[in-house]
Amino acid sequence: MYTKFAEIPVPTGAQFLAPEFNSIQLSFSVRDHERNVKKSLVKQIVLSNSGPATVLPAQEVNYVAARYSLSGRNRVVLREAKEGSGTKYFVELWRGDSLRFTLDVTEKHGAFYADEFIGSLSFSHDEMSMVYTAEARADKMDPYAKFRFKADLGEGLSGKRRPTAFIVHWDKDDVPSVSRIETPEQLYLGQYIFSRDPENRLFAAAYERQSDWRLLGVKGCFNRPRGIWQVDLAKEAAYPEVWKCTLTKLTDSHLSCRSPRIVDDKLVWLSEAAGGPHISTSTVQSLPIGPEASSGEATTLLDVVEQPKEDGFPGLYAPANFPASPTLCLDPRSNYPTHLAVHSTIGSRTGVVLVSLKGGYSVADLGDSYSWNVLATDGESRIVCSRSTPAIPYEIVVGEVAEDTRITWTVVDRPTLSQDVAAALASIKTQIIKVPDREPTETIVIQSSSNGEHPPTVLVPHGGPHGTTTTAFNAATTALVLEGFTLSHPNYTGSPGFGDAAIRGLVGQCGRRDVDDCIGSLDHIVKLGIAQDGPGKLFVMGGSHGGFLAAHLIGQFPDRFTAASMRNPVISGGDTSTTDIPDWYYSEFGLSYPVESSPKGTMLSSDGNHIQDSASSAAPTPSAPVLPPLMTSEHFKKLQLDSPIAYVDHVKAPVLLLIGLDDRRVSPAQGIEFYHALKARASDKSSVDMLVFEGESHPLEGVEAARVCYEAARDWFKAKAQL
């Protein structure tokens, strides 16, 4: 059943076309197990005011990225094509069904950036230019460029070392030109957007290199030294091949900022605390940038929430970005935007949050068991979302938002399911159970009515540790339930969605408080009669920090679990030699790992030199370099004692390890060394097994790798449970 579930398309984005067209373009990702590839699909939905929406057939697309302009008239496409042993890169502009031009940009740069952390694809407001991000070409004047070390962006972005912005401009006859923006090498800029005024200004988010020239891994890490920068292009008579610029930092150094958006005469963005936990509570900041702006100070529209409010709102735990089009205009007396729409983790679910541009928020009704993703707004009063549960792979819903922020939802699309898949999903039931005396811990329990009484239970702690398992559909989870298991997903202290104090409550307590919360959640569902102790009854599995917890649990409670499965687990906290996030090993275990970021107001030229602002009496003084810590014997001892390796002598449960050999986040050596340590101590050598995956990194998310990991863990557990 896993393969059938995994081949159901997953919604990845949407865009309302020009409002008068009354239609939405949706994008999906789908796995093709026969060809062992992931495919991209697009589907158009035509809305109706008097009847059901018309859903046009999905079409496969082979471009890297594409986007319509705000008017819906123009569409830019970034495309790559294999040619011999190399790759060629093209930029296309479409107007309706007419291809206005194709630009071969292969000699200009390398691969496009289409990720959510650095990638850019945005039109200017006059729709005569667009900006995108791509990998810069190596310096042809350097004879050693091929061999010279330069830090890349880490896990999930390996080999990406120099993100660079390119502006494509076209005249009234659609004759294009391409310009490269030259920026300082110590800044890694992305997420570019055009300002409305002046026309030679852009805004971007930039990661900063540290004093040891390390770039801390960016994927999934919202605590990085990262700020919002104003990028002023030098005034030129025409669009030059290389555009010099002046960069000004707009945000404070103690904040990590991302996802800039222009909203009328304001710039808005998301921010979290820099350093410390890799995810914490997001705030929403607003800065006036229009010609009448008199203040250079940002306003906080939505602040950190330490403990959930009386209405249950725990603060904002936003994704990597706002939607590309996040605004709503709910005041019938005005044409100005009033709210931003974004989804957020709320306990063990994700929900729709509307952030008022005057400050404040409202949370949409979550409905029964759903977790929601905001995909886009129409800039007026409509919002399109995807939602799912462990029993519902996805629904596309369009909401009409009233002036008082109440939302009326209409389902406009569902996947086509075979009869056997629909019948299997109908048996799934989900409940969220709070764990007494371990606040804020709660666990998501997923069962099937077809499994009979007291099926074996698999405890599945999430990774992060500042991740959260939600009620969103997951193919492997639902498939394993249908194989005869109950699954329990504990959201322990440190999980986002329960207030900022809960996140920081785990710092310095990894290996203790998270372990105790997990075992406490298991004790509770045993007490409720959902799970049972005994041989063949309790199992544990997890990846990354979830694997760390699984390894801890079988070491600290060796007689409790029948078997375990771990994906790229953290086993030895003292092993930081190859990780892209060495700060994680320090900060999460209560040790100091300072990060440095330029002060607000810093001005840099294209070559990285500091500039004195003529309008200011004094420029910010760069602080003395901060030295990252070295691994001392004292630190190593503490980290090892807090790690699962400290309990390896106590492990009794059979263990299956699943290791990605290209993992940049957790060294594959950690899992491999654990395998050897367990083998050496096992009386039955067959009770320890390991599968390794060449070319796979931390998530083990390749089509074949994900399937094999699921099937191997399923078979491992079923053999031990004698199912």
Side-chain angles (χ1 to χ4, degrees), residues 70-147:
L70 184 62
S71 71
R73 294 180 63 245
N74 296 304
R75 183 171 182 249
V76 64
V77 176
L78 306 182
R79 201 181 299 277
E80 63 180 31
K82 299 294 182 183
E83 186 172 287
S85 59
T87 303
K88 301 199 73 172
Y89 303 99
F90 301 93
V91 177
E92 300 171 354
L93 180 73
W94 293 78
R95 191 165 297 129
D97 59 0
S98 173
L99 176 61
R100 306 307 298 167
F101 63 74
T102 297
L103 271 176
D104 184 342
V105 290
T106 308
E107 296 301 316
K108 301 285 186 181
H109 56 70
F112 296 112
Y113 282 72
D115 61 278
E116 57 188 346
F117 308 105
I118 293 286
S120 309
L121 190 57
S122 177
F123 280 90
S124 61
H125 292 273
D126 64 3
E127 300 190 10
M128 298 296 288
S129 302
M130 52 80 61
V131 61
Y132 66 92
T133 311
E135 181 72 5
R137 290 292 184 192
D139 183 0
K140 293 181 179 179
M141 302 301 292
D142 181 359
Y144 306 113
K146 178 179 177 181
F147 309 99

Side-chain angles (χ1 to χ4, degrees), residues 465-466 506-515 545 548-549 552 584 588-589 642-643:
H466 307 297
L506 182 60
V507 174
Q509 299 293 319
C510 289
R512 296 187 294 278
R513 186 163 183 178
D514 45 4
V515 171
H545 191 83
F548 170 91
L549 291 173
H552 258 300
W584 183 93
E588 297 294 356
F589 290 86
D642 287 341
S643 297

